[in-house]
Amino acid sequence: MCNLYDLDVTPPFLQQRFRLKRIDIEPRGAAPGLVRPSDLAPVIHLDEAGDTVCSLMEWGFVRQWKSPAGKLTMHRLFNVRAETIDTKPTFAPAFRKTRAIIPVSAWYELPQKGVRVRIAKEDGNLLAMAGLWEHAIHPKTGATVTAFTMAMTDSNAFNALYHDRMPCLLDDSAFKAWLDPERYDAKKFLAPYTHEDLIAERQAAAFNAPADADPGDDDLPEEGQLF
């Protein structure tokens, strides 16, 4: 599970790094810093014309369903399992049509209370995480929400020291294919990360996700209860 990451680059850097046709982010110096579920963050995706662009989106698909007690509850689905990304009804439509790349400087694991581990590339370069995005109607407000979720897979040997799951990291060579909705074999890019270029920094701190945050489809009701 990943529910905290950081991004410490400027919009012009993102535009150059990902060869963007357009970047729909107001110039504000540094990009958002620490990002938690429900926060706005830059996301790389294709627009209606098929150009690669960057837009601000909220982290976590917004869903509502009944609890076992019968109460309607709101959830932010900020992670999606790579193994079922193409079959779960909550995520399959976006996997087929609106895949995304999430630029990240580092992500955080919390192996124990009061300790977080910052994981980044040893050379300081950006990480590119595989994800999905969507336009959806907020169940409570009726407003259109543009949101993204992050794909997760089994940890490699390095990340397994801190958690048994990790984000799906994309090589530069996979960017175009991952975003292309005509690439029906895109799931192959969601394998555990094989490069040995990550470093971990232990920090004494703790961050809490918002109350409506949900780790993803592991805790969803049975598919028939959703749609």
Side-chain angles (χ1 to χ4, degrees), residues 96-109:
R96 290 193 296 268
K97 297 179 181 179
T98 52
R99 295 191 286 267
I101 297 172
I102 305 145
V104 171
S105 297
W107 84 90
Y108 295 83
E109 300 287 4

Side-chain angles (χ1 to χ4, degrees), residues 30-97:
L34 286 172
V35 182
R36 302 173 179 84
S38 80
D39 286 349
L40 285 169
V43 176
I44 313 300
H45 62 102
L46 299 183
D47 66 8
E48 293 182 355
D51 293 325
T52 305
V53 300
C54 180
S55 305
L56 287 178
M57 301 184 187
E58 295 182 11
W59 188 10
F61 285 9
V62 181
R63 294 295 187 271
Q64 178 179 252
W65 62 77
K66 286 185 178 180
S67 68
K71 181 181 178 182
L72 282 174
T73 56
M74 298 293 301
H75 297 264
R76 283 276 180 179
L77 307 181
F78 54 87
N79 291 162
V80 52
R81 292 179 64 87
E83 296 86 346
T84 55
I85 195 172
D86 56 341
T87 58
K88 290 287 186 178
T90 302
F91 304 108
F95 175 75
R96 290 193 296 268
K97 297 179 181 179

Side-chain angles (χ1 to χ4, degrees), residues 7-11 13-14 29-32 103 105 126:
L7 180 61
D8 297 314
V9 297
T10 61
F13 181 89
L14 287 177
S105 297
L126 278 183

Side-chain angles (χ1 to χ4, degrees), residues 158-220:
F158 176 86
N159 199 72
L161 297 172
Y162 313 107
H163 201 281
D164 61 354
R165 304 286 288 177
M166 69 180 294
C168 297
L169 304 178
L170 298 171
D171 290 332
D172 288 21
S173 60
F175 290 173
K176 184 176 180 180
W178 172 250
L179 293 178
D180 184 357
E182 299 299 320
R183 284 294 297 264
Y184 303 112
D185 61 342
K187 193 174 178 179
K188 71 180 183 181
F189 299 116
L190 303 182
Y193 193 63
T194 58
H195 302 303
E196 298 180 355
D197 60 354
L198 299 176
I199 57 171
E201 176 191 0
R202 296 178 70 88
Q203 302 175 344
F207 290 91
N208 295 320
D212 67 346
D214 189 284
D217 60 12
D218 284 333
D219 296 322
L220 292 180

